């Protein structure tokens, strides 16, 4: 079945440093979605990328979708303590018989040291 | 518009007890999902319902059953709870399967002793 690998599993950064998490799928994706989960909370949708090579920005967050639609990255510039949490990528792929499956990576847990 | 709601928020069970986790959404979404989240394991799909009247197994269905009661509600039942089912359970929904984003409920923290 489809697999989505996400690295690193953990990242500790000093406040103000940059942070990047990477996501790789075993299959070509229809789209990739990114979610953020604050400690003790539930995953919250951040963004969706659909087109090959697509780049989207949300303030200090930059999301990229690879040309082959099998990998993606999330980059945070100048991290702040409010960025703390676990970031998940989720790849949507056609799984046959008219159905699609959304597979989540295991997430990258970001800690920011003030 | 409450989004996705789950009850209860917390539950402690003894091994062998049964319980049902309730989930409801008010966004008129067609697809609903149950996940469990364990430390270091990410979100693992237990069961899903692509549309009202259908349910399918996900990655880790053993020990669980589901019911899509109507378009709004999707329940998860543990018939005989085991300590390995100690986890945080999230319900989620999305409008369709093919492109839409997923909305999660607040979660149920279940401990099985």
């Amino acid at each position: 079945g489809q697999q989505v690998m996400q690295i690193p599993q953990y990242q500790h950064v000093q406040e103000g440093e940059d942070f990047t998490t990477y996501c790789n799928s075993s299959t070509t994706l229809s789209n990739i979605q990114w979610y953020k989960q604050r400690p003790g909370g539930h995953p919250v949708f951040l963004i969706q990328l659909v087109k090959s090579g697509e780049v989207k920005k949300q303030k200090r967050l930059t999301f990229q979708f690879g040309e082959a639609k099998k990998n993606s990255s999330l980059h945070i510039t100048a991290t702040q303590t409010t960025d703390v949490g676990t970031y998940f990528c989720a790849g949507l792929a056609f799984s046959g018989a008219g159905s699609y499956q959304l597979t989540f990576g295991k997430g990258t847990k970001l800690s920011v040291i003030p | 518009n409450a989004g996705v709601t789950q009850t209860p928020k917390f539950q402690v069970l003894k091994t062998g007890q049964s319980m049902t986790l309730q989930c409801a959404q008010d966004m008129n979404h067609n697809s609903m999902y149950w996940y469990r989240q364990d430390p270091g394991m990410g979100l693992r799909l237990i069961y899903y319902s692509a549309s009202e009247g259908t349910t399918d197994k996900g990655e880790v269905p053993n020990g669980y059953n589901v019911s899509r009661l109507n378009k709004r509600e999707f329940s998860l039942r543990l018939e005989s709870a085991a300590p390995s089912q100690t986890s945080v359970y999230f319900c989620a929904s999305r409008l369709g399967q093919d492109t839409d984003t997923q909305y999660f409920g607040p979660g149920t923290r279940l401990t099985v002793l």
Side-chain angles (χ1 to χ4, degrees):
Chain A
Q2 180 194 358
Q3 291 186 324
V4 175
M5 306 298 293
Q6 193 174 352
I7 57 169
Q9 192 173 358
Y10 302 96
Q11 186 79 57
H12 306 277
V13 299
Q14 203 75 35
E15 189 172 16
E17 290 182 339
D18 293 356
F19 159 76
T20 305
T21 174
Y22 300 91
C23 191
N24 285 287
S25 169
S26 59
T27 59
T28 303
L29 300 171
S30 297
N31 71 45
I32 193 149
Q33 302 170 16
W34 285 91
Y35 294 78
K36 177 182 178 181
Q37 184 178 23
R38 294 183 188 276
H42 60 276
V44 174
F45 172 78
L46 291 176
I47 208 159
Q48 176 175 280
L49 303 169
V50 179
K51 299 176 184 174
S52 169
E54 190 169 13
V55 178
K56 287 189 176 180
K57 292 191 176 185
Q58 288 181 349
K59 297 182 181 178
R60 295 177 295 103
L61 277 62
T62 301
F63 303 84
Q64 293 189 328
F65 201 9
E67 293 290 340
K69 299 185 72 173
K70 294 180 76 171
N71 58 69
S72 182
S73 65
L74 157 59
H75 180 81
I76 302 178
T77 304
T79 55
Q80 300 175 358
T81 54
T82 53
D83 296 323
V84 163
T86 301
Y87 292 84
F88 292 97
C89 62
L92 187 74
F94 183 65
S95 59
S99 68
Y100 286 79
Q101 185 152 338
L102 186 68
T103 302
F104 282 81
K106 292 188 177 180
T108 296
K109 188 173 182 179
L110 174 64
S111 300
V112 179
I113 306 161
Chain B
N1 192 334
V4 181
T5 56
Q6 289 182 239
T7 56
K9 286 190 167 63
F10 301 93
Q11 184 71 49
V12 178
L13 293 177
K14 293 181 180 177
T15 297
Q17 287 185 317
S18 62
M19 78 161 296
T20 300
L21 281 63
Q22 307 286 354
C23 173
Q25 51 89 12
D26 61 2
M27 297 175 283
N28 202 34
H29 285 175
N30 293 307
S31 302
M32 297 185 73
Y33 306 82
W34 276 105
Y35 294 88
R36 61 178 287 173
Q37 185 175 39
D38 304 292
M41 298 296 290
L43 291 155
R44 293 186 291 171
L45 183 65
I46 305 171
Y47 269 94
Y48 68 99
S49 171
S51 60
E52 188 180 354
T54 69
T55 60
D56 283 288
K57 294 178 180 179
E59 181 186 353
V60 288
N62 291 344
Y64 306 94
N65 284 301
V66 290
S67 295
R68 183 75 184 266
L69 304 169
N70 46 57
K71 192 170 186 179
R72 290 187 64 247
E73 298 171 288
F74 188 39
S75 63
L76 178 73
R77 182 159 178 85
L78 287 69
E79 290 291 352
S80 179
S84 60
Q85 294 178 303
T86 293
S87 189
V88 180
Y89 291 85
F90 289 103
C91 177
S93 72
R94 64 182 193 253
L95 180 60
Q97 276 209 86
D98 54 351
T99 60
D100 298 283
T101 62
Q102 198 146 291
Y103 296 85
F104 285 84
T108 294
R109 282 151 180 78
L110 175 67
T111 301
V112 183
L113 303 174

